[in-house]
Amino acid sequence: MNKAENTKILPGEIEKQREIIKRLRRWNDSQYHYSQRRRLALVVTYGCQQNESDSEHIRGILGEAGFDFCDSAADANLIIYNTCAVREGAEQRVFGNLGALKHEKQKRPGLIIGICGCMVQQEHITKQIKQKYKHVDIIFGTHTLYRLPQLLWEAVSERRMAVSVGHTGGMIAEDLPVRREGGVKACVSVMYGCNNFCSYCVVPYVRGAERSRKPDDILKELRQIAEEGYKEVMLLGQNVNSYGKDLGGAADFSDLLGLAAEVEGIERIRFMTSHPKDFNDKLIKTMACCPKICSQLHLPVQAGSDKVLRDMNRGYTRADYLEKISKVRSMMPEMAVTSDIIVGFPTETAEDFEQTLSLLQEVRFDSVYSFIYSKRTGTVAESLAPVLADKVVHANFDRLLAVQNQISKEINDSYLGKVYEVLVEGESKKDPSTLTGRTSSGKIVNFTGAPDMAGKTVSVKITAAQTWSLFGEVQQ
Ligand code: 5AD
Ligand code: SF4
């Protein structure tokens, strides 16, 4: 059998879940009939864009099952935490929230509490929840999101903890309901999982091996969102440069970008995340040739020292990385480049850290997401003893922020007085009297304008620059 045909969850299984959604809908409708108020759901998301995207599917399922949505735990009849396992801090916050809900559940026994995502894909965490957080009703992992209807039904009809954290043998659930926000930009997953096993990272363990969606399924979704009026798409994967390797040569990521660019109505395409080891010339050329692909590249480098990169199992050297950046910039000088950096990897010495700082100065990233190393159960780096004291690592982290903030501000200053095409996303959340949008390079631009500009691309002259955003005036 063609490998590509072997990767979908059996349609019969999805159909079964759809039937349960209808049952949940009838249950919710009867409640509505009785109280004239719909049950409310709160979905809280931690972590990356992939989790945000999974939450859109969770909301899609819950919406079809007859729930409305709210922003506060106190109003909610159903609370789902979609969790992240990449760093310990996010896990602790979830445990804190779960602990706080114990009391709420005693007051309101009808409250349903669910926990899902990467955290519960770790055996020791699921065990801890089952033992210490018995007020949790539903636990499901990243592989079994499609079974949420069944688990929810078990939890409400049988009043017992419903758990599904198994793997699905690399299969993909297509055609799940989805509920997106905003109406201008949408995220679409092109692949799931990661095969890289960077020595610090838990993702390959919790999200499993790489598996790509078929190009036809992705294109169908892209046409759908274009029909709904979305103008921009972010193609998502832990390592998009590996896209298609499991599809028997049907298409690689560059081919997929080419196909996506043909979808009428989609005006802008972004993607993340690229891995420097697999980021190749074909992709650089595709980006340079296709006007719909935005001038933004997120290329996590993680560290500036070859020794640390080797210990991280990243598969490239500092020189390899710099060469790829200079190729990108020679073909696309306007490209905004962003990155991820880990500070305090166990084998990182003071000199290694200086090399990370010098790399920042050399590359001059537009912005950087920096993280203090967090030890993760089951990873190779777990057993490594740290060279630097915690205090030094925190001081290094602050130094890195200061260096990068200055570079980010200088780059933003270079936008002053120039005119850029900005796709308007809508009113700014912070200040509803302003509109907000982005340049092709991903810079946030705030400006005054009419709310009906949302979804349109307008020319904006930049009048002020801050470290994280720009301000401007619409050009008539
Ligand atoms: N500790 C700190 N940061 C990490 N990341 C991944 N694993 C860890 C960890 N154990 C960071 C990497 C990655 C980003 C998504 O999260 O920089 O690119
Ligand atoms: Fe984690 Fe490395 Fe995979 Fe990224 S490429 S998800 S850092 S293992």
Side-chain angles (χ1 to χ4, degrees):
M1 188 193 291
N2 181 335
K3 230 177 161 191
E5 284 169 17
N6 197 20
T7 53
K8 279 196 198 179
I9 303 277
L10 288 176
E13 178 61 29
I14 301 293
E15 211 32 61
K16 177 177 146 195
Q17 299 300 325
R18 285 200 175 273
E19 285 305 315
I20 304 176
I21 290 179
K22 285 185 202 151
R23 208 183 301 160
L24 284 162
R25 172 100 217 177
R26 287 195 291 274
W27 171 72
N28 263 326
D29 284 350
S30 64
Q31 155 78 21
Y32 180 70
H33 183 72
Y34 169 71
S35 66
Q36 288 299 298
R37 182 180 168 273
R38 288 228 166 260
R39 282 193 180 86
L40 297 176
L42 170 67
V43 182
V44 183
T45 313
Y46 296 84
C48 66
Q49 302 246 14
Q50 182 58 59
N51 262 17
E52 292 289 350
S53 170
D54 287 348
S55 286
E56 291 178 346
H57 288 291
I58 293 172
R59 288 194 196 92
I61 291 171
L62 297 179
E64 286 196 8
F67 285 90
D68 273 346
F69 295 89
C70 64
D71 296 326
S72 107
D75 296 334
N77 306 97
L78 165 65
I79 302 172
I80 295 186
Y81 290 115
N82 186 7
T83 63
C84 171
V86 168
R87 283 169 293 275
E88 199 189 354
E91 291 190 345
Q92 280 166 350
R93 279 208 303 281
V94 170
F95 278 129
N97 285 336
L98 278 187
L101 284 181
K102 200 169 198 166
H103 185 60
E104 191 68 21
K105 178 93 176 183
Q106 278 163 357
K107 273 199 309 192
R108 295 194 286 140
L111 173 65
I112 306 160
I113 301 169
I115 174 161
C116 68
C118 292
M119 221 173 126
V120 298
Q121 211 65 69
Q122 305 171 96
E123 227 176 283
H124 68 285
I125 298 273
T126 312
K127 205 169 147 200
Q128 196 176 342
I129 295 170
K130 283 183 187 166
Q131 283 171 353
K132 293 199 193 148
Y133 299 86
K134 294 204 165 80
H135 55 295
V136 168
D137 302 281
I138 303 169
I139 307 179
F140 59 100
T142 56
H143 301 264
T144 47
L145 190 158
Y146 72 95
R147 296 186 69 208
L148 169 60
Q150 185 178 341
L151 298 169
L152 186 52
W153 183 252
E154 281 171 23
V156 296
S157 61
E158 298 171 29
R159 303 304 299 165
R160 63 176 174 84
M161 194 189 262
V163 184
S164 175
V165 289
H167 283 234
T168 48
M171 288 195 284
I172 291 175
E174 289 292 349
D175 297 324
L176 292 182
V178 60
R179 189 186 176 103
R180 296 187 163 93
E181 307 266 305
V184 178
K185 51 181 195 173
C187 288
V188 170
S189 296
V190 301
M191 61 186 299
Y192 304 94
C194 179
N195 290 352
N196 284 315
F197 290 93
C198 300
S199 65
Y200 51 82
C201 186
V202 78
V203 168
Y205 305 92
V206 295
R207 287 212 169 254
E210 283 170 3
R211 55 227 182 263
S212 308
R213 293 179 68 196
K214 288 183 5 180
D216 284 351
D217 291 326
I218 298 168
L219 290 173
K220 187 173 134 198
E221 186 169 357
L222 292 179
R223 286 188 204 107
Q224 174 74 35
I225 60 171
E227 243 169 62
E228 289 168 17
Y230 287 90
K231 302 284 187 268
E232 179 177 310
V233 66
M234 168 73 88
L235 302 179
L236 287 182
Q238 302 295 343
N239 175 13
V240 289
N241 309 117
S242 287
Y243 174 80
K245 283 186 183 163
D246 56 332
L247 292 180
D252 65 12
F253 188 61
S254 301
D255 301 330
L256 181 70
L257 281 175
L259 293 169
E262 284 171 20
V263 175
E264 229 174 283
I266 298 292
E267 294 170 10
R268 286 181 168 192
I269 302 171
R270 301 183 199 273
F271 55 89
M272 73 186 297
T273 296
S274 291
H275 193 302
K277 137 177 100 64
D278 303 314
F279 183 77
N280 58 25
D281 290 352
K282 182 174 174 190
L283 181 51
I284 298 177
K285 274 194 206 123
T286 307
M287 292 173 78
C289 294
C290 176
K292 283 190 183 180
I293 301 177
C294 290
S295 306
Q296 182 186 20
L297 172 66
H298 184 60
L299 198 62
V301 63
Q302 312 296 359
S305 130
D306 281 343
K307 186 201 80 194
V308 174
L309 287 172
R310 195 187 57 231
D311 293 349
M312 287 178 162
N313 191 30
R314 289 291 289 174
Y316 54 86
T317 62
R318 176 189 176 108
D320 296 335
Y321 186 89
L322 290 173
E323 195 190 321
K324 295 203 179 184
I325 295 292
S326 76
K327 263 191 196 161
V328 168
R329 287 190 168 146
S330 69
M331 288 186 78
M332 296 164 280
E334 71 292 350
M335 183 67 61
V337 185
T338 59
S339 203
D340 293 346
I341 303 271
I342 296 179
V343 179
F345 183 79
T347 62
E348 184 179 81
T349 62
E351 297 82 63
D352 292 323
F353 177 71
E354 293 306 321
Q355 290 193 41
T356 296
L357 285 187
S358 82
L359 183 99
L360 293 192
Q361 303 278 16
E362 202 168 336
V363 177
R364 291 181 63 78
F365 293 110
D366 285 71
S367 64
V368 155
Y369 300 90
S370 45
F371 310 99
I372 290 185
Y373 169 75
S374 171
K375 188 200 274 197
R376 303 286 60 212
T377 307
T379 59
V380 169
E382 185 191 7
S383 57
L384 300 174
V387 173
L388 297 175
D390 252 14
K391 223 173 86 185
V392 178
V393 171
H394 280 86
N396 283 347
F397 183 78
D398 292 344
R399 276 180 71 202
L400 182 134
L401 280 188
V403 167
Q404 181 54 44
N405 284 351
Q406 188 182 339
I407 296 171
S408 296
K409 174 72 165 68
E410 284 166 8
I411 294 177
N412 280 357
D413 281 345
S414 73
Y415 278 60
L416 284 170
K418 297 180 191 150
V419 176
Y420 292 87
E421 295 297 286
V422 172
L423 174 61
V424 186
E425 289 170 17
E427 288 169 4
S428 156
K429 279 194 184 126
K430 277 192 208 147
D431 173 10
S433 70
T434 22
L435 294 180
T436 188
R438 278 177 199 264
T439 62
S440 169
S441 59
K443 307 276 179 195
I444 297 170
V445 185
N446 297 309
F447 54 96
T448 308
D452 68 357
M453 281 177 165
K456 300 200 174 105
T457 300
V458 293
S459 301
V460 179
K461 184 174 184 180
I462 306 303
T463 53
Q466 293 180 348
T467 309
W468 302 108
S469 58
L470 304 168
F471 296 83
E473 283 164 8
V474 177
Q475 302 294 285
Q476 299 307 332

